Amino acid sequence: MSRETVLQEVAAERQRQDGKWGGEANDAKWGPLDWHEMIADDNGWARRMLTMDSPDKARKRYIQIA
């Protein structure tokens, strides 16, 4: 998989999240510790998916984190 493909997936995921959550206006509501907790939680889920032999689900979480 190329870097360009991954970057396109990240951009598409960001658009999806902006549509769902309201974009930068919503992002500004959260502080650094909030972001750390959200990222750590998603990373934990990705790791769990890998241990359950679900690399596609793990990859989806990693794209969401990015």
Side-chain angles (χ1 to χ4, degrees):
M1 178 167 303
S2 73
R3 179 176 15 171
E4 186 62 33
T5 300
V6 172
L7 293 175
Q8 288 172 354
E9 289 181 46
V10 170
E13 175 60 22
R14 184 60 198 193
Q15 284 185 319
R16 185 191 74 77
Q17 290 181 18
D18 283 349
K20 182 175 183 176
W21 302 109
E24 291 182 30
N26 183 62
D27 290 351
K29 295 177 185 177
W30 305 100
L33 293 176
D34 299 312
W35 285 109
H36 182 275
E37 186 174 335
M38 288 184 273
I39 291 167
D41 184 53
D42 278 343
N43 186 59
W45 277 108
R47 287 178 49 203
R48 184 181 259 329
M49 292 299 104
L50 288 173
T51 64
M52 296 173 63
D53 200 26
S54 297
D56 291 339
K57 289 180 180 180
R59 188 175 186 285
K60 181 179 177 180
R61 287 287 184 158
Y62 289 131
I63 294 293
Q64 290 173 340
I65 293 168

